[in-house]
Amino acid sequence: MENKSSTYLSQFPLGLLCFIIITLVTSSSSSIWYDEHISLKEINAEENFVFPKNFLFGTASSAYQYEGAYLTDGKNLSNWDVFTSIPGKIADGSQGKVAVDHYHRYPEDLDLMEDLGVNSYRLSLSWARILPKGRFGDVNMGGIDHYNRMINAILKRGMEPFVTLTHYDIPQELVVRYGSWLDPQIREDFEHYAEICFRYFGDRVKFWATFNEPNVQVVLGYRTGTYPPSRCSKTFGNCTHGDSDVEPVVAAHNIIRSHLAAVSLYRTKFKEQQRGKIGIVMNTIWFEPVSDSLADKLATERAQAFFVTWFLDPVVFGRYPREMQEILGEDLPQFTKDDLKSFSNKLDFIGINQYTSRYAKDCLHSACEPGKGGSRAEGYVNANALKDGLHLGEPTGVNWFATYPQGMEEMLMYATERYKDIPLYVTENGFGENNTGALLNDYRRVKFMSNYLDAVKRAMRKGADVRGYFAWSLLDNFEWISGYTVRFGMYHVDFITQERTPRLSAFWYKNFIFHHRAQSKYD
């Protein structure tokens, strides 16, 4: 069955697309905005910037946010299936049982991506769909067959599958059996799961990420309790169980060990034949000091240590960041001899998910207001500080998210300088709005994408080895605890009919990719 939105973009010549973009925006009160922020300089290539010929332009998704197909074809419950069924956990009381029904509609959605001109698709696999009971049960061939069909369909359209093994969701079986990430045996389960995926899909998948945003997973799951398994201390959130000082560090340690096990397995057993790359994807926030004081400047380093380098330093250097060692001391878990051997495998790439930036205020040598962060577990940093009553960047209406394009450039340079020769991929970047309507003229999203991609270019000119950019996201989807109240899609989705309708940003991204690809080929 043909869906009218799947061919909507392909029916327009590129010159007409440019005209539509300009007309749509200038027909509103936004003409000044367009000239200042999008600028025809971009379309006319005044910058003369050339992306590498193998640069990946793509879109990103995750299994729970996209797939739906709740218990279809042998899938078992995941932790998010259970969590979203608890009243009060999700803003609009919704669940991801259907989401955007990508499980059944992926051919249509891949057609939309092909129309955009992307050459890669970043997706995650549902662990509970492949191993419904973890290592305690059989491989679910229904899930294997589905992902084999999907990977083949991605390749058929000329796109590279960029696959994440787990994007927050794990089999509920592992939560019930032993408490998932709080127990060291999760390493065995993750290694077993990784081996199944490498074995069945690795002949075609050349980009693997072990985890998506494990820093967010442990902070929200085990410190504030707003994500599953909803564990925290009373001073941090409203949970019935947990220890916000101890459990995030324990869970993080087990995730790092699981990552090391999967990378070691891939290097020793699969890489020589499959010739793929393996890395990890981190959520990143750029932190600016709230003042020029030395204390606040040092606080920004602690903020990075207790959020990003917490995971990357052990993987790359074989140790936790100095700032964490100084503050947490012996409370930091120790790595085993087997772990230390695995550190030599390092990473083929680091995925950078970059959306927002924040002010950081010192709470080690300065007094911080109660309830604003800044505990020992957070490195004695208030990472949500205000300067003259304002957050860093332009507010979006989404409570955690303000736009600050400079933060993208700064974060890419920070990763480049700290981790030297490890390539970077911008694995997520996008603009969300609190809106239940279609809002097809999404000029704020176009402004965001244009400005952030300009920041990527500036970092690349300065020497950052950035090899790809994935927009979050092709479609509106289930946005975790926000449910369906926040929309990030370049395509509007009617969650009742599942109809996809392109927004202005879809036209803009298509034109951007074509222009930069054409320039690269000409060069």
Side-chain angles (χ1 to χ4, degrees):
M1 180 179 70
E2 181 182 40
N3 185 292
K4 64 180 180 181
S5 62
S6 68
T7 56
Y8 196 83
L9 289 181
S10 61
Q11 294 172 355
F12 288 86
L14 284 166
L16 183 56
L17 285 177
C18 295
F19 174 77
I20 289 172
I21 294 171
I22 297 169
T23 302
L24 280 173
V25 180
T26 56
S27 66
S28 69
S29 59
S30 309
S31 58
I32 295 175
W33 161 84
Y34 187 84
D35 291 337
E36 289 181 349
H37 296 287
I38 300 309
S39 175
L40 290 175
K41 293 177 184 177
E42 187 63 42
I43 294 175
N44 293 328
E46 183 178 296
E47 296 180 5
N48 197 32
F49 181 87
V50 178
F51 281 94
K53 289 180 173 61
N54 60 349
F55 192 88
L56 297 182
F57 284 109
T59 66
S61 71
S62 86
Y64 189 78
Q65 294 176 274
Y66 260 56
E67 283 185 355
Y70 172 52
L71 297 177
T72 299
D73 294 338
K75 178 185 170 293
N76 203 358
L77 291 172
S78 75
N79 57 334
W80 274 89
D81 289 322
V82 174
F83 179 76
T84 55
S85 69
I86 302 171
K89 294 297 186 183
I90 308 301
D92 56 1
S94 63
Q95 296 177 255
K97 288 185 176 182
V98 177
V100 294
D101 198 26
H102 189 58
Y103 187 87
H104 298 108
R105 293 173 177 262
Y106 73 83
E108 168 194 343
D109 295 336
L110 294 177
D111 287 343
L112 299 182
M113 295 178 215
E114 188 177 16
D115 285 342
L116 285 179
V118 301
N119 58 0
S120 188
Y121 175 35
R122 179 175 173 243
L123 66 150
S124 75
L125 307 176
S126 169
W127 190 345
R129 197 179 294 283
I130 292 172
L131 289 169
K133 293 185 178 294
R135 73 182 194 278
F136 305 101
D138 296 330
V139 176
N140 175 35
M141 292 311 298
I144 296 292
D145 292 343
H146 167 76
Y147 288 122
N148 271 325
R149 290 191 296 269
M150 190 171 177
I151 289 167
N152 290 340
I154 294 168
L155 292 167
K156 183 179 179 181
R157 288 163 174 80
M159 294 182 280
E160 284 282 353
F162 198 111
V163 176
T164 305
L165 290 173
T166 178
H167 191 128
Y168 300 165
D169 56 320
I170 67 173
Q172 179 66 12
E173 178 81 18
L174 308 185
V175 179
V176 173
R177 276 186 182 263
Y178 54 75
S180 66
W181 298 111
L182 292 178
D183 193 300
Q185 67 180 297
I186 189 79
R187 178 178 178 271
E188 297 176 55
D189 260 295
F190 188 73
E191 185 176 12
H192 175 63
Y193 169 55
E195 181 165 17
I196 297 298
C197 295
F198 298 152
R199 185 192 309 161
Y200 282 102
F201 312 129
D203 59 327
R204 287 150 294 150
V205 174
K206 303 307 174 188
F207 295 92
W208 292 102
T210 53
F211 291 88
N212 177 80
E213 300 184 343
N215 48 347
V216 172
Q217 186 176 347
V218 300
V219 168
L220 299 188
Y222 296 92
R223 180 174 295 155
T224 66
T226 52
Y227 276 22
S230 197
R231 297 179 64 88
C232 63
S233 303
K234 292 297 183 184
T235 53
F236 282 83
N238 184 23
C239 306
T240 56
H241 303 282
D243 185 331
S244 297
D245 291 317
V246 174
E247 289 186 356
V249 178
V250 172
H253 192 74
N254 288 327
I255 287 176
I256 293 167
R257 295 188 68 240
S258 298
H259 163 86
L260 293 172
V263 172
S264 180
L265 171 71
Y266 188 75
R267 293 269 197 267
T268 57
K269 194 170 180 179
F270 295 96
K271 185 176 176 65
E272 183 177 356
Q273 183 176 359
Q274 296 182 354
R275 314 296 293 175
K277 302 179 185 299
I278 189 165
I280 194 169
V281 171
M282 300 299 300
N283 181 276
T284 66
I285 297 173
W286 178 248
F287 297 100
E288 293 278 6
V290 74
S291 78
D292 290 331
S293 72
L294 177 60
D296 286 334
K297 290 178 180 177
L298 292 174
T300 64
E301 283 299 313
R302 294 201 304 279
Q304 292 293 359
F306 278 75
F307 191 63
V308 176
T309 63
W310 178 5
F311 288 81
L312 291 179
D313 275 19
V315 170
V316 177
F317 303 131
R319 52 172 170 73
Y320 283 110
R322 174 180 53 80
E323 295 85 355
M324 290 192 83
Q325 294 182 47
E326 289 176 351
I327 290 176
L328 299 183
E330 294 182 358
D331 290 341
L332 277 175
Q334 300 298 309
F335 291 105
T336 67
K337 291 181 179 179
D338 286 341
D339 296 332
L340 295 175
K341 292 177 183 177
S342 300
F343 285 130
S344 61
N345 290 311
K346 296 195 177 178
L347 292 166
D348 292 320
F349 65 85
I350 297 170
I352 301 290
N353 291 358
Q354 222 293 320
Y355 292 89
T356 194
S357 300
R358 294 176 186 169
Y359 287 120
K361 174 179 169 54
D362 171 66
C363 298
L364 182 60
H365 306 288
S366 315
C368 287
E369 296 179 35
K372 296 288 185 180
S375 67
R376 177 174 179 262
E378 299 159 290
Y380 296 116
V381 181
N382 174 6
N384 290 288
L386 301 178
K387 187 172 185 177
D388 299 325
L390 300 174
H391 290 284
L392 178 61
E394 180 183 347
T396 63
V398 178
N399 61 359
W400 57 268
F401 182 18
T403 66
Y404 187 70
Q406 302 96 305
M408 170 70 86
E409 178 184 355
E410 297 286 2
M411 196 66 237
L412 292 173
M413 295 312 302
Y414 179 87
T416 296
E417 290 162 10
R418 192 175 188 95
Y419 302 114
K420 305 304 181 188
D421 58 348
I422 300 179
L424 307 175
Y425 290 85
V426 178
T427 37
E428 283 183 31
N429 175 244
F431 182 82
E433 295 188 276
N434 287 316
N435 192 290
T436 56
L439 195 66
L440 299 182
N441 185 13
D442 60 338
Y443 68 90
R444 293 186 71 196
R445 181 171 289 109
V446 176
K447 171 185 174 182
F448 177 95
M449 294 176 71
S450 176
N451 288 342
Y452 273 70
L453 276 161
D454 281 348
V456 172
K457 294 178 194 175
R458 290 195 298 271
M460 292 174 72
R461 285 195 202 95
K462 291 180 180 179
D465 185 7
V466 183
R467 300 189 181 185
Y469 172 91
F470 294 83
W472 186 278
S473 182
L474 180 76
L475 307 172
D476 294 333
N477 56 78
F478 181 86
E479 281 298 336
W480 305 117
I481 61 173
S482 297
Y484 299 105
T485 65
V486 175
R487 293 177 177 266
F488 273 87
M490 291 182 287
Y491 275 75
H492 170 266
V493 176
D494 183 319
F495 294 117
I496 297 175
T497 66
Q498 292 295 332
E499 182 178 7
R500 283 83 156 122
T501 305
R503 293 188 169 106
L504 175 63
S505 54
F507 295 110
W508 183 88
Y509 193 41
K510 174 171 183 169
N511 182 69
F512 182 93
I513 293 171
F514 176 84
H515 162 69
H516 285 84
R517 261 212 196 127
Q519 185 184 30
S520 178
K521 289 178 181 177
Y522 177 79
D523 180 77

